[in-house]
Amino acid sequence: MMGLYSFLQWTFFDSSAYICRQYYVRNMDAAAPNGALLAASSTLSFHSNSDHSEFQSAKRLCCSNSFQGDFPLSLNPSIVLHVLGGCNLAPEDLARLEATCSFFRSPANFPPDTNISLAELAALDMCQTRTIFKVMSGEEKKILKQRCGGSWKLVLKYLKAGEVSFRREKCQAIAGPGHSVVVTKSGSVFTFGSNSMGQLGHGSQEEEWRPRLLKSLQGIRVIQATAGVGRTMLVTELGQVYAFGKDTYSELEPGSPAAKAISTPRLVESLQGIFVVQTAIGNYFTAVLSREGRVYTISWGSDAKLGHGTDHQDQKPHQLKGPLEHVPVVQIAAGYCYLLALAYQPSGMAVYSVGCGLGGKLGHGTRMDERYPRMIDHLHQLNFKPIAVAAGAWHAAVVGQDGRVCTWGWGRYGCLGHGNEECEDLPKVVAALGGVKAVHVATGDYTTFVVADSGDVYSFGCGEASLGHGKARHHENLLSPELVLPLKQRQEKVVQISLTNTETCNAHTLALTQSGRLYAFGAGDKGQLGMELLNDENERGMPELVDINLG
């Protein structure tokens, strides 16, 4: 039976109580005329997922085109089985089939492949459902497979890790410095707030106090947004990047010519050859992440600060040099003059940092700058498996697979959550969150938020209205995490928090719920809360519902 392979197909009955499977054996031997179907029959025993009752399925296979029986329903069946030494499946193969079949509820979108296992084929089929993977060429997919360790299962893990770490292709709310950006489920974009440099993208420099649809990009699906001081960047599902606001990719250094205002989205032509999935703005530089997991930075490369020597006015992307050149990255996060990268490795996820080490924010036990990305080894010593990172202005945080949270850096106002204002040069587990399983973390200027799997939100750090605890706790610094009761009282499950990540503007916070509602609190003097305030108000200490449709 060497050279034979089987086509497997099935139909689901009664809420998957039983699964009827049919398979065909095709002779791939050159001696068989026209690859005719061979006559064969086999009886396989399967188990119901609901009551474990057993049933028999026998199928006679045709040996000529005159047979009027059943044929495969698709030209590209979902599974290709290796058949060696006969048609009967060994118990271990049957177990693998049972574990794999739930992945294939419809025909696959790729030709049969006789050279990979069922598990590999299942992983490949699931990769095909990812937007960024479907549009890749065959050669690009091979390159990604190689970068991830040579397995489709590892590629799938890499893609899923990116989806978890920064809500790829889901609703997003971004609280920028003085303005806000919201990406809806359908990929539309709303902006509101300060507009001094045209960072709202509506063709003017007038403030917007209510969410306004970005009409110039209608028909283009956006999957990710980033907001910096006076500028905004959007990533589309086709990997293109649009930018508006300041015409630079860094904060202006002394003596630099004034930035020009761009009030409508413009395609970033220097990134045309890179399929981008995420952008991050870090004061004197901008970083982008490609779908293959490569990290590029623009500006602030003088003195090899980011592994390459360029002028701060340089607007061309340069790949981050060093250890991450050949390791795929799933998420990037930028703070004040430093960058964090969550890297995917077959042995497990790891966090790398590069840039300014002031305050210990690079997490290496020193306060030295790092010119090239360096792995934060202490996380492994803590047996910590990171799934998402956040880079505040002067401190950083990471969420682990087990729900623990680690913080490090400058602990001013208690933003590390360790009960004091001490700096931490190495990642340290937030002990006060011991009974909480975290799924998301957000950092700002001396402020930190943690979202639990229950949807509860905890905040700590600088006592501003942006902490969300209302007037009773206004101006009170929180040295340890405290439940944000006003959000819990809304009886909504929060899935994402975003807060202003710079000291140049008054901070505000956006909270996105599972039901698709958006709440805002903190500074609102420029309209960044998406609502008009009373004459004597410039902030809201309690979470308020924003009038916006996130569908």
Side-chain angles (χ1 to χ4, degrees):
M1 294 290 291
M2 292 297 291
L4 302 183
Y5 69 95
S6 300
F7 287 166
L8 180 71
Q9 204 153 317
W10 55 84
T11 306
F12 288 84
F13 296 92
D14 300 328
S15 300
S16 299
Y18 291 93
I19 303 174
C20 176
R21 299 169 176 82
Q22 305 169 357
Y23 66 90
Y24 296 78
V25 182
R26 181 181 294 277
N27 188 355
M28 300 300 291
D29 196 318
N34 300 322
L37 288 172
L38 297 176
S41 65
S42 178
T43 300
L44 300 179
S45 177
F46 298 98
H47 293 276
S48 163
N49 291 330
S50 57
D51 60 6
H52 301 287
S53 62
E54 202 169 287
F55 69 95
Q56 305 289 321
S57 174
K59 181 67 187 177
R60 183 171 72 85
L61 304 182
C62 62
C63 58
S64 71
N65 56 14
S66 63
F67 182 70
Q68 300 298 313
D70 295 330
F71 288 88
L73 300 179
S74 170
L75 294 177
N76 295 327
S78 294
I79 289 186
V80 178
L81 294 176
H82 297 282
V83 181
L84 301 176
C87 294
N88 293 326
L89 292 176
E92 59 269 22
D93 293 327
L94 182 57
R96 291 176 65 200
L97 175 58
E98 286 287 338
T100 306
C101 67
S102 63
F103 293 139
F104 299 94
R105 295 173 184 261
S106 60
N109 298 312
F110 51 88
D113 188 339
T114 62
N115 297 316
I116 61 177
S117 67
L118 277 173
E120 279 288 280
L121 196 62
L124 176 57
D125 191 60
M126 294 189 72
C127 287
Q128 294 283 356
T129 65
R130 271 63 186 181
T131 301
I132 66 171
F133 187 87
K134 285 190 293 186
V135 297
M136 297 177 75
S137 68
E139 185 61 28
E140 289 170 336
K141 292 176 181 178
K142 289 180 181 178
I143 293 174
L144 178 60
K145 181 180 179 182
Q146 184 179 13
R147 282 180 61 81
C148 291
S151 163
W152 291 121
K153 289 186 290 185
L154 296 178
V155 172
L156 179 61
K157 288 182 179 180
Y158 163 74
L159 294 174
K160 293 175 70 175
E163 294 166 1
V164 169
S165 63
F166 63 94
R167 295 185 59 80
R168 180 186 292 163
E169 299 186 45
K170 295 182 180 179
C171 292
Q172 296 178 7
I174 309 299
H179 73 290
S180 300
V181 185
V182 177
V183 179
T184 71
K185 184 178 180 180
S186 63
S188 297
V189 178
F190 289 84
T191 59
F192 44 99
S194 177
N195 197 26
S196 59
M197 297 298 293
Q199 61 263 41
L200 300 186
H202 299 302
S204 71
Q205 292 177 248
E206 297 179 2
E207 294 176 355
E208 296 287 344
W209 288 72
R210 297 284 182 179
R212 181 178 173 184
L213 178 66
L214 194 58
K215 294 183 178 180
S216 61
L217 290 183
Q218 282 187 290
I220 298 176
R221 184 167 181 251
V222 173
I223 62 171
Q224 193 258 338
T226 307
V229 177
R231 57 201 174 104
T232 304
M233 301 182 75
L234 305 176
V235 180
T236 75
E237 65 176 344
L238 297 180
Q240 296 177 314
V241 179
Y242 287 85
F244 41 101
K246 288 183 181 179
D247 67 339
T248 65
Y249 293 95
S250 68
E251 294 303 300
L252 298 178
E253 296 183 353
S256 302
K260 296 180 180 179
I262 306 298
S263 60
T264 57
R266 288 188 182 180
L267 192 64
V268 181
E269 296 183 358
S270 64
L271 294 172
Q272 286 283 53
I274 303 171
F275 194 110
V276 178
V277 294
Q278 189 196 354
T279 61
I281 298 174
N283 295 87
Y284 293 111
F285 72 97
T286 295
V288 300
L289 176 65
S290 77
R291 66 179 171 188
E292 299 83 12
R294 295 187 177 95
V295 181
Y296 299 82
T297 57
I298 307 173
S299 298
W300 202 60
S302 58
D303 299 324
K305 287 187 175 69
L306 292 174
H308 53 77
T310 64
D311 186 84
H312 69 274
Q313 293 179 331
D314 185 7
Q315 298 197 8
K316 293 182 180 180
H318 298 270
Q319 186 175 352
L320 201 62
K321 301 298 183 182
L324 292 181
E325 289 185 69
H326 305 291
V327 177
V329 172
V330 301
Q331 182 204 358
I332 54 176
Y336 191 88
C337 301
Y338 76 107
L339 179 72
L340 298 180
L342 180 63
Y344 174 79
Q345 300 170 144
S347 59
M349 306 285 276
V351 179
Y352 289 76
S353 62
V354 61
C356 174
L358 187 64
K361 58 190 176 183
L362 296 185
H364 300 303
T366 71
R367 301 185 183 183
M368 302 291 292
D369 296 349
E370 295 290 340
R371 292 187 174 186
Y372 298 95
R374 178 181 171 188
M375 184 189 297
I376 303 179
D377 294 321
H378 193 66
L379 289 172
H380 294 287
Q381 298 175 25
L382 295 174
N383 193 28
F384 196 91
K385 299 178 181 179
I387 60 171
V389 296
W394 301 99
H395 73 292
V398 60
V399 178
Q401 193 175 57
D402 57 4
R404 289 185 294 168
V405 175
C406 278
T407 59
W408 64 93
W410 202 347
R412 192 176 182 185
Y413 304 123
C415 63
L416 301 184
H418 301 309
N420 55 48
E421 296 187 53
E422 301 297 322
C423 292
E424 297 290 343
D425 296 337
L426 291 170
K428 183 177 179 179
V429 176
V430 182
L433 291 172
V436 175
K437 183 176 181 181
V439 294
H440 174 71
V441 64
T443 50
D445 181 31
Y446 302 121
T447 308
T448 305
F449 279 79
V450 173
V451 179
D453 62 347
S454 63
D456 288 341
V457 178
Y458 298 80
S459 67
F460 43 100
C462 186
E464 298 177 342
S466 59
L467 283 180
H469 295 284
K471 292 183 178 180
R473 309 300 299 275
H474 197 23
H475 299 303
E476 179 183 348
N477 299 330
L478 301 182
L479 304 185
S480 297
E482 292 197 18
L483 180 66
V484 183
L485 283 173
L487 274 177
K488 187 174 180 63
Q489 291 168 355
R490 292 284 186 168
Q491 297 184 339
E492 293 267 15
K493 182 176 182 179
V494 175
V495 293
Q496 186 218 350
I497 289 282
S498 177
L499 64 155
T500 305
N501 190 14
T502 178
E503 59 183 359
T504 59
C505 296
N506 294 330
H508 72 289
T509 303
L510 300 178
L512 185 64
T513 71
Q514 190 175 53
S515 63
R517 290 186 175 90
L518 181 66
Y519 293 88
F521 47 98
D525 55 315
K526 301 294 183 180
Q528 62 266 50
L529 298 182
M531 62 191 75
E532 295 189 20
L533 304 182
L534 300 177
N535 292 332
D536 59 343
E537 287 185 317
N538 58 16
E539 63 183 22
R540 288 286 174 89
M542 300 286 284
E544 300 284 349
L545 183 64
V546 181
D547 185 14
I548 186 174
N549 181 9
L550 297 178

PDB file of all heavy atoms in Angstrom, residues 414 417-420 432 459-461 478-482:
ATOM      1  N   GLY A 414       4.030  54.652  43.697  1.00  0.00           N
ATOM      2  CA  GLY A 414       3.507  53.301  43.899  1.00  0.00           C
ATOM      3  C   GLY A 414       3.065  52.603  42.639  1.00  0.00           C
ATOM      4  O   GLY A 414       2.311  51.626  42.691  1.00  0.00           O
ATOM      5  N   GLY A 417       3.109  48.771  42.387  1.00  0.00           N
ATOM      6  CA  GLY A 417       2.148  47.975  43.146  1.00  0.00           C
ATOM      7  C   GLY A 417       2.733  47.138  44.255  1.00  0.00           C
ATOM      8  O   GLY A 417       2.075  46.225  44.766  1.00  0.00           O
ATOM      9  N   HIS A 418       3.968  47.442  44.684  1.00  0.00           N
ATOM     10  CA  HIS A 418       4.628  46.635  45.718  1.00  0.00           C
ATOM     11  C   HIS A 418       4.501  47.228  47.118  1.00  0.00           C
ATOM     12  O   HIS A 418       5.196  46.797  48.044  1.00  0.00           O
ATOM     13  CB  HIS A 418       6.113  46.459  45.367  1.00  0.00           C
ATOM     14  CG  HIS A 418       6.340  45.798  44.047  1.00  0.00           C
ATOM     15  ND1 HIS A 418       5.734  44.612  43.697  1.00  0.00           N
ATOM     16  CD2 HIS A 418       7.107  46.170  42.975  1.00  0.00           C
ATOM     17  CE1 HIS A 418       6.123  44.271  42.471  1.00  0.00           C
ATOM     18  NE2 HIS A 418       6.937  45.192  42.011  1.00  0.00           N
ATOM     19  N   GLY A 419       3.644  48.234  47.285  1.00  0.00           N
ATOM     20  CA  GLY A 419       3.417  48.816  48.599  1.00  0.00           C
ATOM     21  C   GLY A 419       4.387  49.894  48.986  1.00  0.00           C
ATOM     22  O   GLY A 419       4.391  50.345  50.140  1.00  0.00           O
ATOM     23  N   ASN A 420       5.230  50.322  48.040  1.00  0.00           N
ATOM     24  CA  ASN A 420       6.198  51.377  48.323  1.00  0.00           C
ATOM     25  C   ASN A 420       6.480  52.155  47.044  1.00  0.00           C
ATOM     26  O   ASN A 420       5.824  51.931  46.023  1.00  0.00           O
ATOM     27  CB  ASN A 420       7.485  50.786  48.894  1.00  0.00           C
ATOM     28  CG  ASN A 420       8.072  49.717  47.970  1.00  0.00           C
ATOM     29  OD1 ASN A 420       8.214  49.914  46.759  1.00  0.00           O
ATOM     30  ND2 ASN A 420       8.394  48.566  48.541  1.00  0.00           N
ATOM     31  N   ALA A 432       0.366  41.538  45.959  1.00  0.00           N
ATOM     32  CA  ALA A 432      -0.992  41.926  46.351  1.00  0.00           C
ATOM     33  C   ALA A 432      -2.051  41.420  45.377  1.00  0.00           C
ATOM     34  O   ALA A 432      -3.241  41.451  45.690  1.00  0.00           O
ATOM     35  CB  ALA A 432      -1.087  43.449  46.472  1.00  0.00           C
ATOM     36  N   SER A 459      -6.256  49.153  39.841  1.00  0.00           N
ATOM     37  CA  SER A 459      -5.345  50.231  39.451  1.00  0.00           C
ATOM     38  C   SER A 459      -4.483  50.628  40.632  1.00  0.00           C
ATOM     39  O   SER A 459      -4.859  50.424  41.799  1.00  0.00           O
ATOM     40  CB  SER A 459      -6.112  51.439  38.911  1.00  0.00           C
ATOM     41  OG  SER A 459      -6.884  52.054  39.914  1.00  0.00           O
ATOM     42  N   PHE A 460      -3.317  51.198  40.329  1.00  0.00           N
ATOM     43  CA  PHE A 460      -2.421  51.677  41.372  1.00  0.00           C
ATOM     44  C   PHE A 460      -1.443  52.671  40.759  1.00  0.00           C
ATOM     45  O   PHE A 460      -1.210  52.679  39.557  1.00  0.00           O
ATOM     46  CB  PHE A 460      -1.677  50.529  42.070  1.00  0.00           C
ATOM     47  CG  PHE A 460      -1.144  49.453  41.150  1.00  0.00           C
ATOM     48  CD1 PHE A 460       0.191  49.420  40.773  1.00  0.00           C
ATOM     49  CD2 PHE A 460      -1.985  48.440  40.679  1.00  0.00           C
ATOM     50  CE1 PHE A 460       0.689  48.418  39.948  1.00  0.00           C
ATOM     51  CE2 PHE A 460      -1.501  47.433  39.849  1.00  0.00           C
ATOM     52  CZ  PHE A 460      -0.162  47.423  39.476  1.00  0.00           C
ATOM     53  N   GLY A 461      -0.903  53.532  41.642  1.00  0.00           N
ATOM     54  CA  GLY A 461       0.031  54.535  41.176  1.00  0.00           C
ATOM     55  C   GLY A 461      -0.426  55.948  41.503  1.00  0.00           C
ATOM     56  O   GLY A 461      -1.084  56.194  42.525  1.00  0.00           O
ATOM     57  N   LEU A 478      -1.945  55.384  45.209  1.00  0.00           N
ATOM     58  CA  LEU A 478      -2.223  54.011  45.630  1.00  0.00           C
ATOM     59  C   LEU A 478      -0.955  53.184  45.463  1.00  0.00           C
ATOM     60  O   LEU A 478      -0.506  52.927  44.342  1.00  0.00           O
ATOM     61  CB  LEU A 478      -3.361  53.419  44.797  1.00  0.00           C
ATOM     62  CG  LEU A 478      -4.697  54.177  44.849  1.00  0.00           C
ATOM     63  CD1 LEU A 478      -5.743  53.454  44.010  1.00  0.00           C
ATOM     64  CD2 LEU A 478      -5.176  54.321  46.287  1.00  0.00           C
ATOM     65  N   LEU A 479      -0.363  52.754  46.578  1.00  0.00           N
ATOM     66  CA  LEU A 479       0.890  52.010  46.542  1.00  0.00           C
ATOM     67  C   LEU A 479       0.685  50.530  46.252  1.00  0.00           C
ATOM     68  O   LEU A 479       1.638  49.826  45.919  1.00  0.00           O
ATOM     69  CB  LEU A 479       1.633  52.170  47.881  1.00  0.00           C
ATOM     70  CG  LEU A 479       1.920  53.616  48.333  1.00  0.00           C
ATOM     71  CD1 LEU A 479       2.757  53.602  49.611  1.00  0.00           C
ATOM     72  CD2 LEU A 479       2.621  54.402  47.238  1.00  0.00           C
ATOM     73  N   SER A 480      -0.555  50.068  46.382  1.00  0.00           N
ATOM     74  CA  SER A 480      -0.903  48.675  46.099  1.00  0.00           C
ATOM     75  C   SER A 480      -2.162  48.631  45.252  1.00  0.00           C
ATOM     76  O   SER A 480      -2.960  49.577  45.264  1.00  0.00           O
ATOM     77  CB  SER A 480      -1.127  47.893  47.403  1.00  0.00           C
ATOM     78  OG  SER A 480       0.055  47.837  48.174  1.00  0.00           O
ATOM     79  N   PRO A 481      -2.376  47.552  44.501  1.00  0.00           N
ATOM     80  CA  PRO A 481      -3.560  47.457  43.630  1.00  0.00           C
ATOM     81  C   PRO A 481      -4.863  47.530  44.414  1.00  0.00           C
ATOM     82  O   PRO A 481      -4.986  46.926  45.479  1.00  0.00           O
ATOM     83  CB  PRO A 481      -3.390  46.076  42.974  1.00  0.00           C
ATOM     84  CG  PRO A 481      -1.939  45.761  43.093  1.00  0.00           C
ATOM     85  CD  PRO A 481      -1.496  46.382  44.373  1.00  0.00           C
ATOM     86  N   GLU A 482      -5.808  48.276  43.874  1.00  0.00           N
ATOM     87  CA  GLU A 482      -7.142  48.348  44.458  1.00  0.00           C
ATOM     88  C   GLU A 482      -8.192  48.191  43.367  1.00  0.00           C
ATOM     89  O   GLU A 482      -8.034  48.699  42.251  1.00  0.00           O
ATOM     90  CB  GLU A 482      -7.345  49.678  45.193  1.00  0.00           C
ATOM     91  CG  GLU A 482      -6.494  49.815  46.437  1.00  0.00           C
ATOM     92  CD  GLU A 482      -6.987  50.922  47.362  1.00  0.00           C
ATOM     93  OE1 GLU A 482      -8.174  51.331  47.202  1.00  0.00           O
ATOM     94  OE2 GLU A 482      -6.213  51.354  48.224  1.00  0.00           O
TER      95      GLU A 482
END
